[in-house]
Amino acid sequence: MIEHNKIYIDGQWVESSGDGISHLVNPATEEVFAKVPMALPEDVDKAVRAARRAFIPWSQTPAVERKAYIDAICEKLTERKDELASLISQEMGIPVHFSMGIQVMGPISGLQIFANLAESMDEVTEHDGGYITVKEAVGVCSFITPWNFPLFQVIAKVGPALAAGCTCVLKPSEQTPLCTFIFAEVCEQVGLPAGVFNLVTGKGSVIGDTLSSHPEIDLVSFTGSTEVGIDIAKSAATSVKRVCQELGGKSPFIIAEDAPVAKAVKYVIKDSMFNSGQMCVQLSRILVHESQYEEALEVAKTVADSLVVGDPTDKGTFLGPLSSMQARDSVVRYIEKGLAEGARLVTGGPELPEGIDKGAFVKPTILGDVNNDMAVAREEIFGPVLCFIPYKDEAEAIAIANDTDFGLSSGLWAEDKDTQMRIAKQLRAGQVKVNGPAFSFAAPFGGYKMSGNGREWGASGLVEYTEEKAILTGR
Ligand code: NAP
Ligand code: MG
């Protein structure tokens, strides 16, 4: 049993004010494997005050020194990569071999990019008209992160905050806090000044409001559901904080008429079933020209049926369990709802995969004959369930793609370069993935519409944590 009994405030490991304990359940085995303390609003208040005291000295630390701290954090996290990959797998079910790349080493490479950007904070720009502009850190930041990419989401926020000179208070998802204890241990080990990074574990329903409304916080950054994101923005409004929201999605993938349909379908099934489909950027609505629709479904079935579901510690596994039994229940309800709405079950379905009798496992499921008005096409399912929707021509494909409340990601496959650009420019989403690229830790990431406000990662991610000051000089 892994047991943590302290949270990290002002450079010290301290007990939480309450005696609540959160029990973490491995979704593959349904067994409790770790315990962590639950903080209360008074702990958040202490952490925020520590972050406030640390802010001026940290923001005035030369950028080259902040870079050195972040470099050192990257190094120490890398030393613990095996432990991180395994803990994240146990918390939320991703196969360990995938966890190492996307959950651990990828985000560390993103953190290295922020280290390298830190010195850009010192830039002074002279403008015509007798003024200069400089960049400064926004201030004290609070972070609320989800369970589907536990370390990734933390680094997307803490990385640019440290590079800019901000101080922070982090509340990870109650389901996936273990990697954040390692992050705090690493901050302590590299000698990050007290109060610059603080960790409070606990329930969003108990401490979330303090994290979004506290008057000493200048910026709140949240990744999670649209519903909670809206509440956070409302609670942050009275103290006029900067609010960064990375919320849900229902992203389209257009297979153009000229595309090699089998290749495109193979790509999108694997991309969208990754992490058992628990991705805000999942390309979950697959739009196929009516002339290629039946062929696309055949390929989809073959590819989905070939994906191995099972033990996340096994190198041959493609899909581990969903993150929790509640997540499984919710996804199964969506599959049943889709079938009740008239979708065709191409493969998969609500039952446990063959040979598995416990755990939060779901069969890779393909729904055909979906129209864009069905709940399964409008709401985020957050599981290995994809909807195939036919279209008549390019204009209709784009209209269906954009007919959604969300706008986080999107994708397309087309051979012709002009077609690629023509479609990509019309999709109302923060990213468009053309012909199957890898995730970029440098490219701006964020949502249009109900998918959020702001951008994360790379240089655009740093801008979120930056105030621009104009200095105007008279005679
Ligand atoms: P969630 O329920 O919104 O939870 C996210 C975080 O918010 C957790 O830390 C949670 O704490 C906390 N929280 C819950 N209630 C709160 C409240 N009233 N006030 C403040 N914080 C509160 O989302 P989730 O179920 O963990 O994650 C899935 C969602 O995240 C999906 O909708 C997905 O699309 C979205 N997501 C978006 C991105 C992106 O970059 N756009 C990335 C990943 C996920 P507890 O754990 O204690 O409940
Ligand atoms: Mg939740």
Side-chain angles (χ1 to χ4, degrees):
M1 181 76 57
I2 298 167
E3 283 188 55
H4 287 282
N5 50 24
K6 294 193 169 146
I7 51 181
Y8 189 64
I9 296 177
D10 206 9
Q12 306 285 325
W13 289 98
V14 296
E15 278 175 14
S16 145
S17 308
D19 48 16
I21 291 178
S22 169
H23 294 82
L24 309 189
V25 176
N26 180 329
T29 62
E30 297 185 47
E31 280 160 19
V32 172
F33 74 103
K35 295 179 186 176
V36 304
M38 297 220 271
L40 294 179
E42 44 268 46
D43 301 308
V44 175
D45 180 62
K46 281 181 202 150
V48 171
R49 288 177 195 287
R52 173 57 64 196
R53 287 191 298 276
F55 173 62
I56 295 294
W58 177 246
S59 63
Q60 292 179 356
T61 300
V64 60
E65 287 177 33
R66 291 201 305 274
K67 171 179 164 34
Y69 281 113
I70 305 171
D71 284 339
I73 292 172
C74 288
E75 200 182 311
K76 295 286 170 204
L77 287 175
T78 305
E79 284 172 13
R80 297 181 74 173
K81 64 180 192 302
D82 293 314
E83 191 185 353
L84 285 163
S86 166
L87 287 175
I88 292 172
S89 170
Q90 292 174 67
E91 284 176 328
M92 51 72 69
I94 189 171
V96 181
H97 63 104
F98 287 144
S99 181
M100 181 60 85
I102 195 63
Q103 301 280 10
V104 180
M105 295 312 290
I108 294 174
S109 74
L111 183 57
Q112 191 61 60
I113 293 175
F114 288 122
N116 297 341
L117 286 166
E119 286 173 88
S120 70
M121 290 298 295
D122 287 345
E123 284 164 10
V124 176
T125 311
E126 288 189 29
H127 300 263
D128 291 344
Y131 68 96
I132 60 168
T133 50
V134 296
K135 297 177 198 173
E136 291 181 2
V138 167
V140 175
C141 305
S142 65
F143 301 138
I144 303 175
T145 54
W147 46 260
N148 60 343
F149 288 95
L151 181 64
F152 182 118
Q153 305 292 2
V154 166
I155 287 180
K157 300 178 193 310
V158 177
L162 296 182
C166 296
T167 56
C168 30
V169 179
L170 167 68
K171 188 210 93 68
S173 163
E174 195 199 339
Q175 285 179 54
T176 56
L178 297 180
C179 65
T180 65
F181 285 95
I182 294 186
F183 194 91
E185 285 164 20
V186 161
C187 288
E188 183 183 27
Q189 222 179 350
V190 305
L192 196 71
V196 172
F197 173 81
N198 303 274
L199 173 67
V200 287
T201 49
K203 267 193 182 315
S205 54
V206 176
I207 57 177
D209 191 58
T210 313
L211 284 158
S212 49
S213 64
H214 198 295
E216 289 293 336
I217 293 173
D218 301 292
L219 174 154
V220 53
S221 179
F222 168 77
T223 298
S225 59
T226 297
E227 197 184 12
V228 174
I230 291 170
D231 285 346
I232 286 174
K234 285 183 185 164
S235 124
T238 47
S239 50
V240 197
K241 294 182 197 330
R242 186 174 295 181
V243 181
C244 310
Q245 298 155 302
E246 298 290 345
L247 310 175
K250 192 72 197 179
S251 302
F253 178 71
I254 298 178
I255 301 179
E257 245 188 291
D258 78 339
V261 68
K263 196 171 172 186
V265 169
K266 191 171 176 192
Y267 154 73
V268 76
I269 301 277
K270 289 195 163 177
D271 191 69
S272 297
M273 298 285 183
F274 188 74
N275 213 22
S276 293
Q278 302 166 110
M279 297 174 290
C280 49
V281 292
Q282 185 193 42
L283 302 171
S284 52
R285 293 181 297 136
I286 320 300
L287 311 187
V288 189
H289 188 262
E290 55 189 11
S291 66
Q292 297 179 315
Y293 190 68
E294 288 305 322
E295 184 190 352
L297 290 184
E298 256 173 59
V299 177
K301 174 173 166 44
T302 309
V303 178
D305 290 349
S306 75
L307 301 175
V308 178
V309 186
D311 181 354
T313 63
D314 188 333
K315 278 200 170 69
T317 299
F318 192 89
L319 288 95
L322 297 195
S323 64
S324 66
M325 295 305 279
Q326 297 89 301
R328 180 179 195 282
D329 290 346
S330 160
V331 170
V332 164
R333 274 197 301 276
Y334 268 115
I335 297 173
E336 290 165 348
K337 197 171 194 172
L339 298 179
E341 283 177 306
R344 173 177 13 151
L345 185 64
V346 176
T347 194
E351 309 81 21
L352 276 171
E354 241 164 77
I356 292 178
D357 57 10
K358 66 164 187 264
F361 295 92
V362 173
K363 291 184 192 173
T365 297
I366 306 293
L367 300 177
D369 301 343
V370 174
N371 74 56
N372 206 45
D373 295 328
M374 294 179 180
V376 286
R378 303 213 73 81
E379 297 167 24
E380 191 172 41
I381 299 175
F382 232 59
V385 182
L386 305 181
C387 297
F388 277 65
I389 304 175
Y391 70 82
K392 288 192 174 56
D393 56 29
E394 188 180 294
E396 189 188 37
I398 292 165
I400 297 171
N402 288 335
D403 176 17
T404 168
D405 293 337
F406 300 107
L408 185 59
S409 188
S410 61
L412 67 98
W413 200 294
E415 293 293 279
D416 174 54
K417 296 261 177 259
D418 291 340
T419 306
Q420 291 173 357
M421 285 309 287
R422 190 175 60 244
I423 299 177
K425 284 181 156 181
Q426 294 178 77
L427 294 175
R428 299 279 303 154
Q431 285 196 348
V432 186
K433 304 204 286 178
V434 180
N435 292 11
F439 184 81
S440 165
F441 286 94
F445 177 94
Y448 287 20
K449 303 195 265 180
M450 303 279 279
S451 289
N453 281 305
R455 291 294 176 270
E456 292 195 319
W457 297 112
S460 303
L462 185 63
V463 169
E464 299 279 303
Y465 295 88
T466 306
E467 292 281 17
E468 188 178 34
K469 176 181 279 178
I471 303 178
L472 302 94
T473 312
R475 277 181 294 131

